[in-house]
Amino acid sequence: MEEFKLNFYAIYVIFAVVAIIFSMYVDLKKKHYNSYSVFLSFALFLAVTFLFGFRDDEVGTDTVLVKYQFEYHNKLDFGFQILYDSLILLVSSFTDNYRIFLLIVSLLFNGLILASILILSKKITLNVFLVSFSFISFYFFESLGVNIVRQGVSLAFFLLAVSLYFKNPSKHWNWIIPLVLGVFFHITTVVILLIFGLVVLLKKLKIKYYYILYFLILTVSAVGGSVLSFGPLLSYFFLIDSQRADFYINNENGLGYEVGFKTQFAIFNTIFLGIFSFINAKILQYENESYEILLKYYMVMSAIFFLMFQIPFSDRWGVMSWITIPFLLSPLFTVNKSAKYSLGTLAFLIFIFTFFSIYNSAE
């Protein structure tokens, strides 16, 4: 585990230097140099893919489980998450080496994210590398790549759907299909499908109502309200993740997961909401409908996350909002004739990476 961390930090530091150079070009030279940026983005995600794919068994809480599922693929029940099970069956028909499967899952996770960024760059003029680097700057990226890998790939499909929506919202099936594929990889993504679809359907609803919802639910959560308050309706709600329903409702098995209002996450989400609101108002001047829809999704998903504070595994709901942060930050990595945002944003991301690396190592 220690060797894995050192290698991950080494990759981060090397590409952080590259990111600093690109951010200076964006702010000072007012150029993206995306021919180089795209190449280095491939190099970044390839390095991370091999690091995640060839990790040792003790790296990642679910790695041993993935190994078991692969080696005993004949016991797969092919439930609702049929795409993941089918991938296991397909790979196992060619090799008995579970590490090949880990590598393929890692390639799928990182490849989908990179593809999403490239598609987004066709619609929004941005520096591809800086957006790519922003993903690995967040603590949830490593967790999605080595801990909760099924949800990681599923959320990567969601990003693909978002980028395709930005590219052409009217071609509904182009972005709906990746969302459905994400659901078949991890069932909880059905929440994302419903929320994102609802926000798109109600796109004419003024954004002020989403701010009201966000801060209202945040207040309710702060005084102890949660999804547990739904009582009998709770069992129906958790049909989407029935395998963990007992953990959610009763915190069974004595696993000792910390529950209760999580101030650090409330602050984290709210700080970024402030940044996104600034982007929407001052940079985009409320003229980018697709960006506003993603911002609305972020607020709704954050509100749901706040309601989950009283149950175990709440961070697995939080990541459904966090995964959109790099996309929502992307306008700060564009050439702006009257302001310089790129270098300051990069410094903030490096601070976040350093802070949470120290914070998590101290636990």
Side-chain angles (χ1 to χ4, degrees):
M1 183 64 180
E2 184 175 345
E3 182 181 356
F4 173 86
K5 285 289 187 183
L6 289 174
N7 288 333
F8 186 62
Y9 294 154
I11 291 173
Y12 187 85
V13 169
I14 291 170
F15 284 99
V17 174
V18 177
I20 292 171
I21 295 172
F22 271 120
S23 64
M24 292 175 67
Y25 274 122
V26 170
D27 280 350
L28 303 178
K29 294 287 187 179
K30 303 300 183 182
K31 294 182 179 179
H32 289 297
Y33 293 104
N34 266 337
S35 56
Y36 300 106
S37 176
V38 171
F39 172 78
L40 288 166
S41 295
F42 271 99
L44 170 62
F45 280 113
L46 191 62
V48 174
T49 294
F50 282 112
L51 178 64
F52 287 2
F54 290 116
R55 65 186 183 273
D56 291 332
D57 291 355
E58 68 270 15
V59 177
T61 54
D62 285 354
T63 302
V64 173
L65 175 61
V66 173
K67 177 182 177 182
Y68 175 85
Q69 291 171 332
F70 182 81
E71 292 180 344
Y72 294 91
H73 56 267
N74 57 312
K75 296 183 179 180
L76 293 173
D77 58 5
F78 286 91
F80 204 82
Q81 298 161 159
I82 189 172
L83 194 56
Y84 175 76
D85 292 340
S86 297
L87 183 62
I88 290 179
L89 194 63
L90 176 64
V91 177
S92 64
S93 66
F94 291 98
T95 178
D96 294 330
N97 189 347
Y98 78 96
R99 294 189 181 279
I100 301 298
F101 177 72
L102 291 178
L103 181 62
I104 291 174
V105 171
S106 179
L107 182 62
L108 191 57
F109 170 65
N110 289 287
L112 283 170
I113 292 177
L114 178 57
S116 303
I117 298 170
L118 293 175
I119 293 172
L120 187 67
S121 70
K122 302 299 182 182
K123 181 64 178 179
I124 303 174
T125 304
L126 48 81
N127 184 281
V128 172
F129 181 82
L130 291 176
V131 178
S132 300
F133 182 78
S134 68
F135 272 97
I136 70 168
S137 294
F138 290 101
Y139 56 90
F140 60 79
F141 178 81
E142 180 188 343
S143 180
L144 290 173
V146 300
N147 289 337
I148 46 177
V149 295
R150 285 182 299 134
Q151 189 175 16
V153 174
S154 183
L155 290 175
F157 273 116
F158 169 53
L159 290 177
L160 181 61
V162 168
S163 63
L164 289 170
Y165 179 84
F166 269 71
K167 183 179 179 182
N168 194 336
S170 62
K171 292 188 176 180
H172 301 94
W173 287 110
N174 282 4
W175 54 270
I176 291 176
I177 289 175
L179 276 173
V180 174
L181 292 176
V183 173
F184 287 141
F185 222 92
H186 197 270
I187 184 61
T188 56
T189 303
V190 73
V191 174
I192 294 176
L193 175 62
L194 294 174
I195 297 301
F196 190 74
L198 189 62
V199 170
V200 171
L201 189 65
L202 301 176
K203 62 183 178 182
K204 297 300 182 182
L205 186 63
K206 291 182 179 180
I207 197 169
K208 67 178 181 180
Y209 296 113
Y210 290 88
Y211 283 102
I212 293 171
L213 174 69
Y214 180 95
F215 287 106
L216 176 63
I217 297 300
L218 179 58
T219 303
V220 169
S221 178
V223 297
S226 74
V227 69
L228 296 176
S229 305
F230 293 143
L233 295 176
L234 191 63
S235 59
Y236 295 101
F237 181 80
F238 283 128
L239 284 175
I240 61 171
D241 200 5
S242 57
Q243 290 179 329
R244 292 195 177 94
D246 289 336
F247 292 150
Y248 288 138
I249 299 171
N250 303 315
N251 198 9
E252 288 189 355
N253 276 13
L255 296 176
Y257 288 95
E258 181 184 350
V259 297
F261 185 76
K262 295 178 173 60
T263 306
Q264 70 276 27
F265 288 148
I267 294 173
F268 182 85
N269 279 51
T270 305
I271 286 175
F272 277 102
L273 176 58
I275 295 172
F276 304 150
S277 299
F278 168 81
I279 293 171
N280 192 37
K282 299 300 182 181
I283 299 179
L284 302 178
Q285 298 180 341
Y286 303 108
E287 294 179 354
N288 191 317
E289 184 181 72
S290 296
Y291 184 91
E292 196 162 285
I293 282 177
L294 189 59
L295 177 55
K296 290 174 178 177
Y297 165 82
Y298 175 82
M299 285 192 274
V300 175
M301 201 64 244
S302 294
I304 293 175
F305 175 40
F306 298 153
L307 289 175
M308 298 296 173
F309 282 167
Q310 301 294 335
I311 66 171
F313 302 104
S314 62
D315 57 331
R316 298 196 179 194
W317 294 83
V319 78
M320 296 182 194
S321 63
W322 301 334
I323 196 66
T324 62
I325 291 177
F327 274 15
L328 288 165
L329 283 177
S330 62
L332 297 176
F333 295 126
T334 62
V335 170
N336 190 299
K337 299 301 182 183
S338 60
K340 302 172 183 178
Y341 299 117
S342 182
L343 194 56
T345 305
L346 180 64
F348 181 52
L349 292 175
I350 293 174
F351 167 77
I352 287 175
F353 180 85
T354 305
F355 175 83
F356 280 100
S357 295
I358 295 173
Y359 176 81
N360 291 331
S361 65
E363 288 188 334

